[in-house]
Amino acid sequence: MKHFYFFGLAVLLFLGLACDRGPQEVVIDSFESEINPKTVDFGASENSSISVDLAKDIKVCGEQSLKMTYDLRPSGYMWVARGYGLDVEGAALWEVKPKDIKWKRYKSISVAIYGRNSGGVLAFDLKDSGGEMWRTIIDDDFEGWKGVVCPFKNFFPRKDWQPDTAKKNDKLDFPIMSFQFEPRLPGIGVYYFDCIKAVKVEK
């Protein structure tokens, strides 16, 4: 009887651990919807320009990717964002709602980027549940598609700008509500983005 008890306990423990594992990744956004000013929140300062489009010929996840074409001038700024709580309400087209992702199971967020090995720098920002903006930096030091894994611990609160309504507590509060990309070095270029995922790995 005692052996049966310990065997049953071991089975329950194993099943509990197995259920707790969950999927290794969750696709947040693969840009499978229409890509236009009604479905993407994007813009630039007066002296710079940016446009977005879908790309069916350069893709890595699903049927298409997000193409960003930009002309960033010195002292200019720009952004391309998707998610919830943005000025463009139609940009809330994630494949899963923020509240339905078990964020505590995941250590990183990943993005597939088609790089040009240009020496450029991309800021990858997240907006947390309190509206606070968090940033990590991605170097364009590769060519073609690369899955870039960005551990949550490597994001830092932006010091240059925060929304007036943000809860600025220097704590990454889940769920994440939106993400955005921002070229940081002046120049003209094109980037492609695909497969935004919450992942368990941490690099």
Side-chain angles (χ1 to χ4, degrees):
M1 185 68 178
K2 185 180 292 185
H3 292 294
F4 178 78
Y5 170 79
F6 283 114
F7 174 76
L9 187 62
V11 170
L12 288 173
L13 181 61
F14 173 78
L15 290 175
L17 290 173
C19 292
D20 186 57
R21 289 193 189 105
Q24 293 298 306
E25 60 185 35
V26 172
V27 177
I28 297 173
D29 193 356
S30 59
F31 307 106
E32 293 304 297
S33 63
E34 288 294 321
I35 301 297
N36 56 53
K38 293 183 178 180
T39 63
V40 181
D41 189 332
F42 67 98
S45 55
E46 187 173 329
N47 61 340
S48 300
S49 63
I50 190 168
S51 64
V52 298
D53 201 352
L54 59 84
K56 291 185 176 292
D57 55 336
I58 299 178
K59 60 188 178 181
V60 71
C61 181
E63 297 301 319
Q64 62 190 40
S65 65
L66 172 69
K67 178 182 180 181
M68 177 181 74
T69 305
Y70 70 93
D71 182 353
L72 179 61
R73 302 293 178 170
S75 75
Y77 64 88
M78 56 184 53
W79 73 92
V80 172
R82 288 261 284 193
Y84 295 74
L86 299 171
D87 291 337
V88 178
E89 294 183 3
L93 287 171
W94 286 5
E95 296 187 23
V96 58
K97 293 181 179 180
K99 65 180 181 63
D100 293 332
I101 300 173
K102 299 186 184 303
W103 293 96
K104 290 185 178 180
R105 290 182 176 177
Y106 302 98
K107 296 182 178 180
S108 308
I109 188 167
S110 70
V111 53
I113 302 175
Y114 194 90
R116 298 176 293 116
N117 199 21
S118 67
V121 174
L122 276 168
F124 182 28
D125 292 351
L126 304 178
K127 182 183 286 186
D128 71 12
S129 62
E132 190 170 19
M133 300 292 295
W134 292 75
R135 170 165 289 182
T136 194
I137 298 298
I138 299 172
D139 293 320
D140 180 13
D141 57 2
F142 55 92
E143 292 185 5
W145 284 113
K146 179 180 179 180
V148 181
V149 177
C150 304
F152 291 127
K153 68 179 184 181
N154 289 353
F155 284 83
F156 53 89
R158 285 183 57 171
K159 300 301 181 184
D160 59 331
W161 178 82
Q162 289 286 347
D164 293 336
T165 57
K167 180 182 177 182
K168 307 178 189 70
N169 61 359
D170 290 344
K171 177 185 176 183
L172 184 58
D173 295 311
F174 294 102
I176 300 302
M177 301 303 294
S178 67
F179 60 82
Q180 70 178 35
F181 304 103
E182 180 181 339
R184 296 297 298 157
L185 297 182
I188 298 173
V190 178
Y191 283 108
Y192 299 83
F193 304 98
D194 211 345
C195 301
I196 312 294
K197 301 177 182 179
V199 296
K200 288 190 173 181
V201 297
E202 184 179 68
K203 294 184 178 180

